[in-house]
Amino acid sequence: MAVAPTAKGWVPFGEHRTWYRVTGVVGGELPAVVVVHGGPGSTHDYLLNLCSLAEHGFPVVHYDQLGSGGSTRLPDKGADFWTPELFGDELDNLVHRLGIDDNYVLYGQSWGGLVVARHAAQRPDGLRGLVIANSPASYELWRCEMDVLRAQLPPGVDEQLRAHEAAGTTDTQEYFDAMRVFYDRHVCRVLPWPGDYLASFMEMADNNTVYSVMNGPSEFTVTGTLKDYSVVDDLDDIEVPALLISGRHDEATPKTVQPYFDRIHDVRWEVFEDSSHVPHLEEPDRFREVLLSFLREVHPTANAESEATSHG
């Protein structure tokens, strides 16, 4: 099997710069798959196994969103700077700067799903398809569902979490240990956590500016600027084929995903029975099969081309 070449670098974004990694060669007939990570404020690392798509002819673009990973870090910026519009503009800029805006597919995971949905609603000419993975359509729905999931935790765990949140001690080991009970159920059920996931988790713990401002202290405590953010009203404007992905145990519960299914015109929804928030790590073989099937439907000639590439 041929090994896909990898290129890394930065593109300018206003006064700042966005770090990216390209696996495979862009500019061919098959669309580039642009991977938009979650958080906000996480990094690309936990999504690195999507690079395997390049073995089937699909070039893969990862990047770290502004404020995280290898991109410009701006720890002194406040809530007025870190807006959903900023990250939408950054995605627009990246696609244009890499010269792939005439032929690409977007893959948005968690927070990244809202970013790509908003982008797709603008109906860019070169967008061929859309994957929204483990993503709520509305943080209002998300917050309501977090209360449901928290109530199902073992006795005493939610009470301990809420006590720390009320006291402002969410940076303590005790809060982290209680938080892990939720994460091991609803975020990543593979134990110990895979290295790629742990890399992003530790990066965000070390540099939590964006996450703390926009989200809050944890996945299930959204107190930041996103707490009322929604893309539901944008979904009717999405015209490209879309694939929804979620896990049976996902913190992005069916109620949070349902608006995508109800309002995107051409959409199908795959639920991974043994997964929570990261099916690409929890059920990698089925995940790869589902994603490749969708990409080949978006670009029918991909079947022949990907066979030639994988045996090259």
Side-chain angles (χ1 to χ4, degrees), residues 15-310:
E15 300 175 355
H16 315 299
R17 62 183 190 172
T18 301
W19 181 93
Y20 71 88
R21 164 189 171 133
V22 178
T23 306
V25 180
V26 299
E29 186 173 352
L30 296 188
V33 179
V34 181
V35 182
V36 185
H37 66 69
S42 186
T43 65
H44 76 285
D45 301 86
Y46 77 101
L47 292 158
L48 272 173
N49 72 358
L50 271 73
C51 289
S52 65
L53 296 174
E55 299 168 3
H56 301 272
F58 294 94
V60 180
V61 178
H62 287 86
Y63 73 103
D64 287 334
Q65 293 165 26
L66 193 66
S68 66
S71 296
T72 305
R73 299 190 179 190
L74 299 158
D76 298 326
K77 295 291 188 182
D80 58 338
F81 181 81
W82 301 111
T83 64
E85 291 74 22
L86 172 75
F87 294 102
D89 292 344
E90 183 183 31
L91 176 57
D92 295 348
N93 179 71
L94 177 77
V95 169
H96 174 70
R97 293 275 187 176
L98 293 180
I100 58 175
D101 49 357
D102 61 341
N103 191 25
Y104 64 105
V105 170
L106 290 177
Y107 180 99
Q109 201 277 335
S110 195
W111 148 252
L114 290 92
V115 177
V116 302
R118 190 168 178 271
H119 177 98
Q122 299 167 10
R123 301 180 181 176
D125 290 340
L127 182 63
R128 304 293 177 235
L130 183 67
V131 183
I132 297 173
N134 319 101
S135 177
S138 155
Y139 277 96
E140 183 177 3
L141 289 173
W142 175 274
R143 288 188 288 114
C144 291
E145 288 296 284
M146 289 304 103
D147 286 338
V148 173
L149 295 179
R150 289 175 67 145
Q152 296 169 0
L153 293 173
V157 174
D158 192 34
E159 289 79 2
Q160 186 178 6
L161 289 167
R162 292 186 188 277
H164 281 288
E165 289 160 7
T169 53
T170 57
D171 58 348
T172 61
Q173 184 65 41
E174 290 79 9
Y175 185 81
F176 177 81
D177 291 342
M179 183 184 75
R180 273 294 302 258
V181 177
F182 181 96
Y183 278 52
D184 291 347
R185 284 186 172 204
H186 299 299
V187 183
C188 182
R189 295 170 70 87
V190 178
L191 299 174
W193 283 349
D196 288 351
Y197 178 79
L198 191 58
S200 285
F201 186 89
M202 296 307 293
E203 280 271 354
M204 193 160 59
D206 184 57
N207 170 39
N208 72 345
T209 298
V210 182
Y211 188 79
S212 62
V213 170
M214 297 186 71
N215 190 85
S218 69
E219 291 293 276
F220 47 80
T221 310
V222 182
T223 55
T225 57
L226 287 180
K227 62 187 176 71
D228 298 314
Y229 182 64
S230 171
V231 295
V232 171
D233 289 340
D234 297 315
L235 303 179
D236 293 330
D237 294 325
I238 295 175
E239 293 186 332
V240 295
L243 168 66
L244 297 178
I245 289 173
S246 65
R248 179 61 64 194
H249 310 283
D250 206 329
E251 59 178 349
T253 65
K255 285 186 179 179
T256 71
V257 178
Q258 190 69 42
Y260 292 116
F261 189 72
D262 291 341
R263 298 185 66 163
I264 296 177
H265 305 301
D266 182 359
V267 63
R268 65 183 175 94
W269 188 352
E270 292 283 347
V271 178
F272 288 73
E273 294 295 332
D274 297 321
S275 294
S276 57
H277 200 52
V278 285
H280 64 285
L281 297 175
E282 296 164 301
E283 295 181 66
D285 293 338
R286 180 168 176 244
F287 171 84
R288 191 177 304 109
E289 178 184 335
V290 167
L291 188 52
L292 278 171
S293 175
F294 174 73
L295 291 173
R296 288 164 176 163
E297 290 171 11
V298 168
H299 199 290
T301 62
N303 290 302
E305 293 189 34
S306 64
E307 283 298 312
T309 304
S310 62

